[in-house]
Amino acid sequence: MADHGTILVPIAPSSTLEQTVSHAIGLARERDGGVHLVRTVSGRYADEEPAEVDKRVLERAERRAREAGPDDLSLTTAFLGTDQYMAAPSEHIECLLEYAAANGIGEIVLDPNYTIDATAPTLQSLESILERTGVDFEQAPVATDGWQPTGEELIRAGLIGIVAFVFYVGLGGPTYPFALASGVVTAVIAAALLRNVAFETTPRLGPVAGTVARGLYFVPYLLWEITKANVLFAYVVLHPSLPIDPGLDRVDAAVGSGLSVTAFANSITLTPGTLTVDADGHHLLVHSLNQSAREDLLEGVHEAPVRYLFYGSEGADLPGPGERGDFEAILGPALEDENGGVTDE
Amino acid sequence: MTLITALVIAFAALGVFFTFVAAVGMIRLPDIYSRTHAATKADTLGAGFSILAVALYFGTAGEILRAGLLVVFVYYTNPTAAHAIARAAYSRDIDVWTTKDDDSSEETA
């Protein structure tokens, strides 16, 4: 039985978080219902604790709710999604809606500045996703003082501008003032347009340095895998009897962001024998040309390096999608065993 | 013949070989998905080797940097193109060829 007085507030670090929580508390008092404050966080390992930064933002919301609410306020806080991989904003929304249904929540109060990642304001508006689901939600009436770039947006824009300009100089090598000046203008335009598109989150020095350092190992490894797989591909294509045996599988990537899913999908596609056909959140549809390519995929030959790149060396220890059962054969020959043909490992 | 010349010839030959494999695969493979494998990937390595040959041939820092950036471009755009082609085919419900369809007298609609 749905309790229509109960209100769900998804939490994200924003300047209007406190006002939104206060508004939700006000509504809950009118209706004599409880308030749930939840933050969706994609997991990396099934048993992982949420990151400090996520804990802090939820604590911030809870503090505000205690201040604004009556002593007997029924307040629940929760992290959602830590036990699953969520790569797209729509997967975060799904996770919210599941929680809402399971807890009999009548209404969602949305912070107008709530975002799941940095691309949301430009690429995917949460309001439009929620509207399509037909769930009851309202935006908290908080004071906004017009459009102002946030500090985070400025950092992202600056980084894009610098990268674009360095790329331009590196590729074209302009030396005269007019070319340099037009390069600066172009870089500024690119930065302004792409500040909420090119990065999902504002890059932080520590994690980025780690990823770049691991990339020095990842890129030669990937190139070597591509070369090896191309030799096999050449053998298959030039063989008189054309020994192909295509299959189509749905594979769930064990990574939790749009960028890492893209890296995973692209390394699948770059390696001959496997091709990413479609992607929906972290669910990928992969066409493989023969059984050995398919077995590699299910063993995690593509996934482990991507997890290493984004999550460090302990991230690479996860068993492949075949062993985890995170796949579903859609078409093609039956696999050798229920573990997805990983018996020869 | 210097070592550099020999390497340039070797890499150019490898580039030609993998591009040739891509062309053969394009003709021999049975459906749009497997042809996409050929069209966008053997090609990637072919282009990589050719660009490597170019970088070695010119040998100056500027040319090597530019060649490197070209490789980066090719390695970013090729999977994107492959994905776009395969996704378009899949969303129009074009069937995936499997060994069950293996019939040399297969008619095409």
Side-chain angles (χ1 to χ4, degrees):
Chain A
M1 182 63 207
D3 171 8
H4 288 286
T6 308
I7 288 167
L8 178 72
V9 188
I11 300 297
S14 92
S15 57
T16 47
L17 168 62
E18 274 81 6
Q19 288 169 275
T20 306
V21 171
S22 302
H23 174 74
I25 299 283
L27 276 182
R29 290 179 86 161
E30 275 171 32
R31 299 176 193 178
D32 208 18
V35 173
H36 289 245
L37 305 175
V38 297
R39 170 140 183 84
T40 56
V41 189
S42 176
R44 294 177 177 193
Y45 315 103
D47 54 354
E48 195 193 37
E49 283 275 290
E52 277 308 311
V53 52
D54 294 314
K55 284 186 187 164
R56 270 202 301 277
V57 66
L58 197 57
E59 275 162 20
R60 201 179 121 194
E62 187 177 356
R63 216 166 30 243
R64 177 63 185 201
R66 295 270 175 231
E67 283 165 18
D71 292 338
D72 60 343
L73 174 75
S74 148
L75 183 69
T76 314
T77 61
F79 282 103
L80 306 182
T82 46
D83 57 346
Q84 49 185 294
Y85 296 98
M86 299 184 296
S90 58
E91 292 187 297
H92 285 257
I93 300 272
E94 250 168 54
C95 185
L96 280 177
L97 294 181
E98 266 169 36
Y99 179 85
N103 290 278
I105 279 159
E107 187 174 348
I108 295 176
V109 170
L110 200 61
D111 181 347
N113 292 321
Y114 175 81
T115 56
I116 285 160
D117 62 31
T119 65
T122 307
L123 294 183
Q124 312 209 46
S125 124
L126 299 176
E127 295 81 58
S128 67
I129 299 178
L130 275 175
E131 256 159 32
R132 264 180 311 211
T133 63
V135 75
D136 236 3
F137 80 100
E138 74 159 73
Q139 292 209 339
V142 299
T144 47
D145 31 341
W147 183 81
Q148 266 186 353
T150 61
E152 306 259 298
E153 273 183 306
L154 289 177
I155 294 173
R156 293 195 295 267
L159 280 171
I160 295 164
I162 290 166
V163 169
F165 186 69
V166 167
F167 192 80
Y168 169 76
V169 171
L171 204 59
T175 45
Y176 50 101
F178 176 75
L180 286 174
S182 59
V184 169
V185 170
T186 317
V188 168
I189 293 172
L193 289 178
L194 299 180
R195 67 187 192 286
N196 289 335
V197 176
F199 294 111
E200 276 178 306
T201 53
T202 307
R204 299 268 171 261
L205 194 58
V208 168
T211 300
V212 169
R214 290 191 293 270
L216 295 178
Y217 176 77
F218 174 78
V219 170
Y221 171 84
L222 185 65
L223 289 178
W224 173 241
E225 284 297 316
I226 290 170
T227 311
K228 232 170 48 182
N230 255 298
V231 172
L232 281 176
F233 180 76
Y235 168 79
V236 167
V237 165
L238 300 177
H239 193 285
S241 67
L242 197 66
I244 62 167
D245 196 358
L248 194 66
D249 298 282
R250 184 184 53 75
V251 174
D252 298 340
V255 286
S257 72
L259 181 65
S260 42
V261 168
T262 309
F264 180 50
N266 271 12
S267 55
I268 287 173
T269 300
L270 272 172
T271 320
T274 46
L275 171 72
T276 309
V277 173
D278 206 350
D280 176 18
H282 71 293
H283 310 287
L284 301 181
L285 193 64
V286 182
H287 181 265
S288 28
L289 204 53
N290 55 34
Q291 287 303 294
S292 75
R294 196 174 182 192
E295 279 160 24
D296 280 354
L297 174 74
L298 296 182
E299 264 172 46
V301 167
H302 311 87
E303 190 184 72
V306 172
R307 283 182 60 86
Y308 168 76
L309 182 64
F310 288 96
Y311 300 152
S313 47
E314 71 266 41
D317 289 342
L318 201 76
E323 211 171 311
R324 291 200 311 269
D326 276 353
F327 81 102
E328 183 192 346
I330 293 173
L331 266 179
L335 290 153
E336 282 152 32
D337 60 36
E338 72 273 19
N339 280 341
V342 289
T343 39
D344 55 349
E345 185 54 58
Chain B
M1 193 163 79
T2 63
L3 179 67
I4 295 289
T5 317
L7 282 176
V8 168
I9 292 172
F11 285 133
L14 280 171
V16 169
F17 172 73
F18 282 109
T19 311
F20 173 74
V21 166
V24 172
M26 199 65 186
I27 295 166
R28 293 195 71 196
L29 290 168
D31 69 347
I32 185 163
Y33 302 100
S34 45
R35 282 182 170 156
T36 305
H37 286 269
T40 53
K41 290 181 292 176
D43 227 22
T44 313
L45 195 65
F49 277 124
S50 308
I51 292 171
L52 195 59
V54 169
L56 276 177
Y57 180 78
F58 286 100
T60 61
E63 296 303 328
I64 291 172
L65 176 72
R66 249 164 271 179
L69 288 175
L70 272 181
V71 171
V72 170
F73 255 140
V74 170
Y75 276 71
Y76 265 103
T77 51
N78 262 2
T80 313
H83 173 62
I85 294 169
R87 189 167 187 267
Y90 191 75
S91 65
R92 307 195 107 208
D93 294 326
I94 295 177
D95 287 338
V96 178
W97 185 94
T98 59
T99 37
K100 278 188 224 117
D101 306 323
D102 196 2
D103 184 351
S104 28
S105 67
E106 193 183 6
E107 85 283 12
T108 43

